[in-house]
Amino acid sequence: GYRIAQVRVIFLIPPKAVPKLFPSTFQPPQHLAYVEWFSPFRVPNRDHGLHKVSRIIKNGERMASIIPISNIHCSVHLIPHFGPVAP
């Protein structure tokens, strides 16, 4: 299934660093993304049909990963929930 993540940065590992970080038998993906994860999809809201998601926080830190950009399927729009007073 799909998961929602916020892409914070797209980068590549400099070619000079690859042999220092990986065994010679492994070729890492050329482009990588640092992403911060959101909760899995839940049942859509019955009023507007949208899914509610929130950032995944563990021990006060946002859950994050480094993934190949080939794992990114498409972009999505996230609408913030401000509460009774918008900042």
Side-chain angles (χ1 to χ4, degrees):
Y2 293 114
R3 295 286 307 270
I4 295 177
Q6 181 180 19
V7 176
R8 302 299 292 188
V9 67
I10 294 174
F11 64 97
L12 60 88
I13 298 172
K16 289 182 179 180
V18 171
K20 296 176 184 176
L21 298 172
F22 300 99
S24 60
T25 56
F26 179 75
Q27 183 62 37
Q30 185 172 6
H31 293 95
L32 301 165
Y34 174 83
V35 299
E36 294 177 351
W37 295 105
F38 283 76
S39 61
F41 291 110
R42 298 184 198 133
V43 176
N45 181 288
R46 65 184 171 120
D47 295 325
H48 47 64
L50 300 175
H51 295 272
K52 183 178 179 181
V53 295
S54 56
R55 290 190 184 277
I56 297 178
I57 308 287
K58 280 201 174 178
N59 300 322
E61 301 284 331
R62 294 177 179 180
M63 287 291 294
S65 298
I66 295 173
I67 63 170
I69 62 166
S70 60
N71 287 7
I72 299 173
H73 180 69
C74 66
S75 62
V76 298
H77 293 281
L78 298 177
I79 302 167
H81 176 74
F82 288 114
V85 178

